[in-house]
Amino acid sequence: MKLLLVDDEPLARQRLASLLRDLDGVEVVGEAGNGREAVELAESLAVDVVLLDIAMPVMDGLEAARHLAQLSPPPAVVFCTAFDQHALAAFEAAAVDYLVKPVRAERLAEAIE
């Protein structure tokens, strides 16, 4: 499974990458710091899953998720954010899961599965 990490905080991306190393069959193929980069990379890398923050510069995660849903085939979107109040909007943007930071390894594995 090819996965893209998207968060404007490099340390958050590093933490998620370290949690993902323990999961079989998961390959982090790219990282992005904003929604625009996420959409471009998801399309060019043909990723299966995007782990996506919400509050980011340039294009936020909710808008990026709407763009990602238009790709063919669209990647699964799992939001990883510090803001629990955006859950409804996330699912309206076709998210498959919503994780609140700090993300636990067990919960991340469940979302990826």
Side-chain angles (χ1 to χ4, degrees):
M1 173 184 315
K2 295 182 352 182
L3 193 136
L4 176 64
L5 295 177
V6 186
D7 197 305
D8 61 324
E9 298 179 27
L11 290 176
R13 292 194 310 264
Q14 288 175 3
R15 183 172 187 281
L16 285 172
S18 70
L19 293 174
L20 291 164
R21 279 189 207 103
D22 295 332
L23 300 180
D24 291 332
V26 174
E27 177 187 8
V28 176
V29 296
E31 295 185 12
N34 64 61
R36 183 181 302 152
E37 290 175 356
V39 173
E40 292 169 359
L41 282 174
E43 187 170 23
S44 67
L45 298 172
V47 298
D48 302 303
V49 178
V50 178
L51 294 184
L52 187 61
D53 190 17
I54 289 182
M56 295 182 293
V58 183
M59 179 189 295
D60 70 22
L62 293 171
E63 184 178 350
R66 289 189 285 273
H67 288 282
L68 291 167
Q70 302 303 311
L71 298 179
S72 182
V77 173
V78 175
F79 280 102
C80 297
T81 183
F83 304 101
D84 60 359
Q85 69 267 27
H86 297 293
L88 180 59
F91 287 110
E92 288 173 349
V96 297
D97 210 338
Y98 191 93
L99 307 178
V100 178
K101 295 176 185 174
V103 175
R104 293 186 345 260
E106 302 82 23
R107 186 67 181 91
L108 179 59
E110 180 182 306
I112 296 300
E113 190 175 303

